[in-house]
PDB file of all heavy atoms in Angstrom:
ATOM      1  N   PRO A   1       5.233   6.842 -36.109  1.00 96.00           N
ATOM      2  CA  PRO A   1       5.801   6.872 -34.747  1.00 96.00           C
ATOM      3  C   PRO A   1       5.393   8.134 -33.988  1.00 96.00           C
ATOM      4  O   PRO A   1       5.283   9.221 -34.542  1.00 96.00           O
ATOM      5  CB  PRO A   1       7.320   6.854 -34.983  1.00 96.00           C
ATOM      6  CG  PRO A   1       7.485   6.327 -36.362  1.00 96.00           C
ATOM      7  CD  PRO A   1       6.298   6.785 -37.140  1.00 96.00           C
ATOM      8  N   THR A   2       5.171   7.932 -32.710  1.00 96.00           N
ATOM      9  CA  THR A   2       4.895   9.044 -31.793  1.00 96.00           C
ATOM     10  C   THR A   2       5.981   9.042 -30.696  1.00 96.00           C
ATOM     11  O   THR A   2       6.950   8.298 -30.768  1.00 96.00           O
ATOM     12  CB  THR A   2       3.485   8.936 -31.191  1.00 96.00           C
ATOM     13  OG1 THR A   2       3.280   7.621 -30.706  1.00 96.00           O
ATOM     14  CG2 THR A   2       2.432   9.228 -32.250  1.00 96.00           C
ATOM     15  N   GLY A   3       5.831   9.850 -29.674  1.00 92.00           N
ATOM     16  CA  GLY A   3       6.875  10.019 -28.683  1.00 92.00           C
ATOM     17  C   GLY A   3       7.127   8.785 -27.846  1.00 92.00           C
ATOM     18  O   GLY A   3       6.223   7.961 -27.635  1.00 92.00           O
ATOM     19  N   LEU A   4       8.360   8.643 -27.320  1.00 95.00           N
ATOM     20  CA  LEU A   4       8.678   7.487 -26.488  1.00 95.00           C
ATOM     21  C   LEU A   4       9.657   7.809 -25.362  1.00 95.00           C
ATOM     22  O   LEU A   4       9.794   7.049 -24.414  1.00 95.00           O
ATOM     23  CB  LEU A   4       9.233   6.355 -27.334  1.00 95.00           C
ATOM     24  CG  LEU A   4       9.288   4.975 -26.685  1.00 95.00           C
ATOM     25  CD1 LEU A   4       7.917   4.543 -26.179  1.00 95.00           C
ATOM     26  CD2 LEU A   4       9.839   3.940 -27.642  1.00 95.00           C
ATOM     27  N   GLY A   5      10.337   8.941 -25.437  1.00 94.00           N
ATOM     28  CA  GLY A   5      11.309   9.268 -24.381  1.00 94.00           C
ATOM     29  C   GLY A   5      10.702   9.615 -23.044  1.00 94.00           C
ATOM     30  O   GLY A   5      11.394   9.585 -22.021  1.00 94.00           O
ATOM     31  N   GLU A   6       9.405   9.921 -23.024  1.00 96.00           N
ATOM     32  CA  GLU A   6       8.743  10.345 -21.780  1.00 96.00           C
ATOM     33  C   GLU A   6       7.466   9.594 -21.422  1.00 96.00           C
ATOM     34  O   GLU A   6       7.131   9.459 -20.257  1.00 96.00           O
ATOM     35  CB  GLU A   6       8.457  11.851 -21.846  1.00 96.00           C
ATOM     36  CG  GLU A   6       9.720  12.680 -21.897  1.00 96.00           C
ATOM     37  CD  GLU A   6       9.472  14.124 -22.306  1.00 96.00           C
ATOM     38  OE1 GLU A   6       9.246  14.351 -23.503  1.00 96.00           O
ATOM     39  OE2 GLU A   6       9.541  15.012 -21.441  1.00 96.00           O
ATOM     40  N   PRO A   7       6.664   9.118 -22.399  1.00 97.00           N
ATOM     41  CA  PRO A   7       5.316   8.633 -22.083  1.00 97.00           C
ATOM     42  C   PRO A   7       5.219   7.462 -21.106  1.00 97.00           C
ATOM     43  O   PRO A   7       4.195   7.273 -20.470  1.00 97.00           O
ATOM     44  CB  PRO A   7       4.776   8.206 -23.448  1.00 97.00           C
ATOM     45  CG  PRO A   7       5.532   9.015 -24.428  1.00 97.00           C
ATOM     46  CD  PRO A   7       6.897   9.137 -23.853  1.00 97.00           C
ATOM     47  N   ALA A   8       6.286   6.672 -20.961  1.00 98.00           N
ATOM     48  CA  ALA A   8       6.215   5.515 -20.037  1.00 98.00           C
ATOM     49  C   ALA A   8       6.499   5.899 -18.588  1.00 98.00           C
ATOM     50  O   ALA A   8       6.296   5.086 -17.694  1.00 98.00           O
ATOM     51  CB  ALA A   8       7.170   4.419 -20.492  1.00 98.00           C
ATOM     52  N   LEU A   9       6.957   7.141 -18.352  1.00 98.00           N
ATOM     53  CA  LEU A   9       7.220   7.563 -16.979  1.00 98.00           C
ATOM     54  C   LEU A   9       5.950   7.916 -16.203  1.00 98.00           C
ATOM     55  O   LEU A   9       5.781   7.455 -15.063  1.00 98.00           O
ATOM     56  CB  LEU A   9       8.206   8.735 -16.949  1.00 98.00           C
ATOM     57  CG  LEU A   9       8.702   9.171 -15.561  1.00 98.00           C
ATOM     58  CD1 LEU A   9      10.126   9.718 -15.643  1.00 98.00           C
ATOM     59  CD2 LEU A   9       7.803  10.196 -14.896  1.00 98.00           C
ATOM     60  N   PRO A  10       5.027   8.720 -16.744  1.00 98.00           N
ATOM     61  CA  PRO A  10       3.861   9.137 -15.951  1.00 98.00           C
ATOM     62  C   PRO A  10       3.060   8.022 -15.301  1.00 98.00           C
ATOM     63  O   PRO A  10       2.702   8.129 -14.117  1.00 98.00           O
ATOM     64  CB  PRO A  10       3.035   9.934 -16.977  1.00 98.00           C
ATOM     65  CG  PRO A  10       4.034  10.487 -17.905  1.00 98.00           C
ATOM     66  CD  PRO A  10       5.070   9.409 -18.057  1.00 98.00           C
ATOM     67  N   PRO A  11       2.767   6.898 -15.983  1.00 98.00           N
ATOM     68  CA  PRO A  11       1.925   5.907 -15.323  1.00 98.00           C
ATOM     69  C   PRO A  11       2.653   5.007 -14.314  1.00 98.00           C
ATOM     70  O   PRO A  11       1.979   4.235 -13.600  1.00 98.00           O
ATOM     71  CB  PRO A  11       1.399   5.065 -16.499  1.00 98.00           C
ATOM     72  CG  PRO A  11       2.386   5.227 -17.585  1.00 98.00           C
ATOM     73  CD  PRO A  11       2.976   6.609 -17.419  1.00 98.00           C
ATOM     74  N   ALA A  12       3.965   5.096 -14.221  1.00 98.00           N
ATOM     75  CA  ALA A  12       4.721   4.157 -13.404  1.00 98.00           C
ATOM     76  C   ALA A  12       4.389   4.266 -11.918  1.00 98.00           C
ATOM     77  O   ALA A  12       4.213   3.245 -11.224  1.00 98.00           O
ATOM     78  CB  ALA A  12       6.222   4.353 -13.628  1.00 98.00           C
ATOM     79  N   GLY A  13       4.348   5.485 -11.392  1.00 98.00           N
ATOM     80  CA  GLY A  13       4.117   5.646  -9.955  1.00 98.00           C
ATOM     81  C   GLY A  13       2.782   5.093  -9.493  1.00 98.00           C
ATOM     82  O   GLY A  13       2.695   4.437  -8.456  1.00 98.00           O
ATOM     83  N   ALA A  14       1.734   5.314 -10.302  1.00 98.00           N
ATOM     84  CA  ALA A  14       0.401   4.841  -9.903  1.00 98.00           C
ATOM     85  C   ALA A  14       0.308   3.318  -9.995  1.00 98.00           C
ATOM     86  O   ALA A  14      -0.361   2.686  -9.179  1.00 98.00           O
ATOM     87  CB  ALA A  14      -0.657   5.481 -10.782  1.00 98.00           C
ATOM     88  N   ALA A  15       0.960   2.711 -11.000  1.00 98.00           N
ATOM     89  CA  ALA A  15       0.937   1.247 -11.110  1.00 98.00           C
ATOM     90  C   ALA A  15       1.498   0.614  -9.847  1.00 98.00           C
ATOM     91  O   ALA A  15       0.978  -0.399  -9.337  1.00 98.00           O
ATOM     92  CB  ALA A  15       1.709   0.793 -12.325  1.00 98.00           C
ATOM     93  N   VAL A  16       2.546   1.203  -9.314  1.00 98.00           N
ATOM     94  CA  VAL A  16       3.189   0.691  -8.092  1.00 98.00           C
ATOM     95  C   VAL A  16       2.339   1.030  -6.876  1.00 98.00           C
ATOM     96  O   VAL A  16       2.099   0.166  -5.994  1.00 98.00           O
ATOM     97  CB  VAL A  16       4.610   1.234  -7.944  1.00 98.00           C
ATOM     98  CG1 VAL A  16       5.185   0.929  -6.562  1.00 98.00           C
ATOM     99  CG2 VAL A  16       5.504   0.650  -9.047  1.00 98.00           C
ATOM    100  N   ALA A  17       1.862   2.289  -6.769  1.00 98.00           N
ATOM    101  CA  ALA A  17       1.073   2.687  -5.609  1.00 98.00           C
ATOM    102  C   ALA A  17      -0.219   1.865  -5.500  1.00 98.00           C
ATOM    103  O   ALA A  17      -0.612   1.468  -4.403  1.00 98.00           O
ATOM    104  CB  ALA A  17       0.739   4.183  -5.681  1.00 98.00           C
ATOM    105  N   ASN A  18      -0.855   1.623  -6.620  1.00 98.00           N
ATOM    106  CA  ASN A  18      -2.083   0.812  -6.601  1.00 98.00           C
ATOM    107  C   ASN A  18      -1.798  -0.648  -6.226  1.00 98.00           C
ATOM    108  O   ASN A  18      -2.619  -1.303  -5.596  1.00 98.00           O
ATOM    109  CB  ASN A  18      -2.778   0.902  -7.938  1.00 98.00           C
ATOM    110  CG  ASN A  18      -3.365   2.296  -8.198  1.00 98.00           C
ATOM    111  OD1 ASN A  18      -3.673   3.034  -7.268  1.00 98.00           O
ATOM    112  ND2 ASN A  18      -3.507   2.659  -9.480  1.00 98.00           N
ATOM    113  N   ALA A  19      -0.623  -1.133  -6.597  1.00 98.00           N
ATOM    114  CA  ALA A  19      -0.221  -2.492  -6.199  1.00 98.00           C
ATOM    115  C   ALA A  19       0.098  -2.551  -4.724  1.00 98.00           C
ATOM    116  O   ALA A  19      -0.184  -3.544  -4.035  1.00 98.00           O
ATOM    117  CB  ALA A  19       0.973  -2.940  -7.028  1.00 98.00           C
ATOM    118  N   ILE A  20       0.716  -1.473  -4.204  1.00 98.00           N
ATOM    119  CA  ILE A  20       0.998  -1.396  -2.766  1.00 98.00           C
ATOM    120  C   ILE A  20      -0.314  -1.458  -1.990  1.00 98.00           C
ATOM    121  O   ILE A  20      -0.414  -2.150  -0.957  1.00 98.00           O
ATOM    122  CB  ILE A  20       1.785  -0.111  -2.436  1.00 98.00           C
ATOM    123  CG1 ILE A  20       3.210  -0.213  -2.967  1.00 98.00           C
ATOM    124  CG2 ILE A  20       1.805   0.148  -0.919  1.00 98.00           C
ATOM    125  CD1 ILE A  20       4.011   1.071  -2.845  1.00 98.00           C
ATOM    126  N   PHE A  21      -1.331  -0.749  -2.470  1.00 98.00           N
ATOM    127  CA  PHE A  21      -2.640  -0.808  -1.795  1.00 98.00           C
ATOM    128  C   PHE A  21      -3.197  -2.225  -1.831  1.00 98.00           C
ATOM    129  O   PHE A  21      -3.750  -2.716  -0.839  1.00 98.00           O
ATOM    130  CB  PHE A  21      -3.601   0.151  -2.475  1.00 98.00           C
ATOM    131  CG  PHE A  21      -5.001   0.086  -1.929  1.00 98.00           C
ATOM    132  CD1 PHE A  21      -5.333   0.649  -0.718  1.00 98.00           C
ATOM    133  CD2 PHE A  21      -5.985  -0.613  -2.628  1.00 98.00           C
ATOM    134  CE1 PHE A  21      -6.611   0.561  -0.177  1.00 98.00           C
ATOM    135  CE2 PHE A  21      -7.281  -0.717  -2.124  1.00 98.00           C
ATOM    136  CZ  PHE A  21      -7.595  -0.127  -0.893  1.00 98.00           C
ATOM    137  N   LYS A  22      -3.077  -2.885  -2.975  1.00 97.00           N
ATOM    138  CA  LYS A  22      -3.605  -4.253  -3.100  1.00 97.00           C
ATOM    139  C   LYS A  22      -2.885  -5.194  -2.132  1.00 97.00           C
ATOM    140  O   LYS A  22      -3.491  -6.089  -1.553  1.00 97.00           O
ATOM    141  CB  LYS A  22      -3.424  -4.717  -4.541  1.00 97.00           C
ATOM    142  CG  LYS A  22      -4.191  -5.974  -4.888  1.00 97.00           C
ATOM    143  CD  LYS A  22      -5.688  -5.693  -4.982  1.00 97.00           C
ATOM    144  CE  LYS A  22      -6.451  -6.909  -5.482  1.00 97.00           C
ATOM    145  NZ  LYS A  22      -6.216  -7.176  -6.920  1.00 97.00           N
ATOM    146  N   ALA A  23      -1.571  -4.957  -1.956  1.00 97.00           N
ATOM    147  CA  ALA A  23      -0.793  -5.856  -1.099  1.00 97.00           C
ATOM    148  C   ALA A  23      -0.953  -5.560   0.384  1.00 97.00           C
ATOM    149  O   ALA A  23      -0.915  -6.456   1.210  1.00 97.00           O
ATOM    150  CB  ALA A  23       0.698  -5.757  -1.494  1.00 97.00           C
ATOM    151  N   SER A  24      -1.138  -4.280   0.719  1.00 97.00           N
ATOM    152  CA  SER A  24      -1.085  -3.880   2.141  1.00 97.00           C
ATOM    153  C   SER A  24      -2.380  -3.281   2.670  1.00 97.00           C
ATOM    154  O   SER A  24      -2.561  -3.150   3.878  1.00 97.00           O
ATOM    155  CB  SER A  24       0.032  -2.861   2.349  1.00 97.00           C
ATOM    156  OG  SER A  24      -0.275  -1.650   1.667  1.00 97.00           O
ATOM    157  N   GLY A  25      -3.274  -2.842   1.762  1.00 97.00           N
ATOM    158  CA  GLY A  25      -4.464  -2.136   2.194  1.00 97.00           C
ATOM    159  C   GLY A  25      -4.242  -0.688   2.532  1.00 97.00           C
ATOM    160  O   GLY A  25      -5.144  -0.007   3.025  1.00 97.00           O
ATOM    161  N   LYS A  26      -3.028  -0.177   2.271  1.00 97.00           N
ATOM    162  CA  LYS A  26      -2.684   1.212   2.579  1.00 97.00           C
ATOM    163  C   LYS A  26      -2.582   2.025   1.292  1.00 97.00           C
ATOM    164  O   LYS A  26      -1.922   1.639   0.334  1.00 97.00           O
ATOM    165  CB  LYS A  26      -1.347   1.287   3.324  1.00 97.00           C
ATOM    166  CG  LYS A  26      -1.335   0.512   4.651  1.00 97.00           C
ATOM    167  CD  LYS A  26      -2.222   1.196   5.688  1.00 97.00           C
ATOM    168  CE  LYS A  26      -2.136   0.489   7.041  1.00 97.00           C
ATOM    169  NZ  LYS A  26      -2.985   1.133   8.067  1.00 97.00           N
ATOM    170  N   ARG A  27      -3.249   3.172   1.290  1.00 98.00           N
ATOM    171  CA  ARG A  27      -3.267   4.023   0.119  1.00 98.00           C
ATOM    172  C   ARG A  27      -2.191   5.091   0.237  1.00 98.00           C
ATOM    173  O   ARG A  27      -2.224   5.926   1.152  1.00 98.00           O
ATOM    174  CB  ARG A  27      -4.638   4.691  -0.013  1.00 98.00           C
ATOM    175  CG  ARG A  27      -4.810   5.549  -1.240  1.00 98.00           C
ATOM    176  CD  ARG A  27      -4.888   4.744  -2.499  1.00 98.00           C
ATOM    177  NE  ARG A  27      -6.092   3.911  -2.581  1.00 98.00           N
ATOM    178  CZ  ARG A  27      -6.367   3.085  -3.595  1.00 98.00           C
ATOM    179  NH1 ARG A  27      -5.490   2.970  -4.596  1.00 98.00           N
ATOM    180  NH2 ARG A  27      -7.472   2.365  -3.601  1.00 98.00           N
ATOM    181  N   VAL A  28      -1.224   5.073  -0.682  1.00 98.00           N
ATOM    182  CA  VAL A  28      -0.142   6.054  -0.673  1.00 98.00           C
ATOM    183  C   VAL A  28      -0.542   7.207  -1.604  1.00 98.00           C
ATOM    184  O   VAL A  28      -0.811   7.013  -2.768  1.00 98.00           O
ATOM    185  CB  VAL A  28       1.163   5.411  -1.182  1.00 98.00           C
ATOM    186  CG1 VAL A  28       2.297   6.441  -1.193  1.00 98.00           C
ATOM    187  CG2 VAL A  28       1.556   4.218  -0.303  1.00 98.00           C
ATOM    188  N   ARG A  29      -0.556   8.425  -1.022  1.00 98.00           N
ATOM    189  CA  ARG A  29      -1.007   9.574  -1.817  1.00 98.00           C
ATOM    190  C   ARG A  29       0.071  10.642  -1.988  1.00 98.00           C
ATOM    191  O   ARG A  29      -0.143  11.606  -2.718  1.00 98.00           O
ATOM    192  CB  ARG A  29      -2.231  10.232  -1.132  1.00 98.00           C
ATOM    193  CG  ARG A  29      -3.462   9.324  -1.078  1.00 98.00           C
ATOM    194  CD  ARG A  29      -4.686  10.142  -0.653  1.00 98.00           C
ATOM    195  NE  ARG A  29      -5.889   9.310  -0.595  1.00 98.00           N
ATOM    196  CZ  ARG A  29      -6.351   8.745   0.511  1.00 98.00           C
ATOM    197  NH1 ARG A  29      -5.717   8.948   1.677  1.00 98.00           N
ATOM    198  NH2 ARG A  29      -7.440   8.020   0.492  1.00 98.00           N
TER     199      ARG A  29
END
């Protein structure tokens, strides 16, 4: 086993921001 209390947080924002771009054409930075 390796860590789990934190590793799933870092990629969350980009997964949503990149989906927002796909849906709207607007890049959130």
Side-chain angles (χ1 to χ4, degrees):
T2 49
L4 195 56
E6 295 165 286
L9 187 149
V16 169
N18 291 334
I20 289 173
F21 174 77
K22 193 72 174 288
S24 66
K26 300 291 184 179
R27 183 71 66 182
V28 180
R29 296 192 180 95

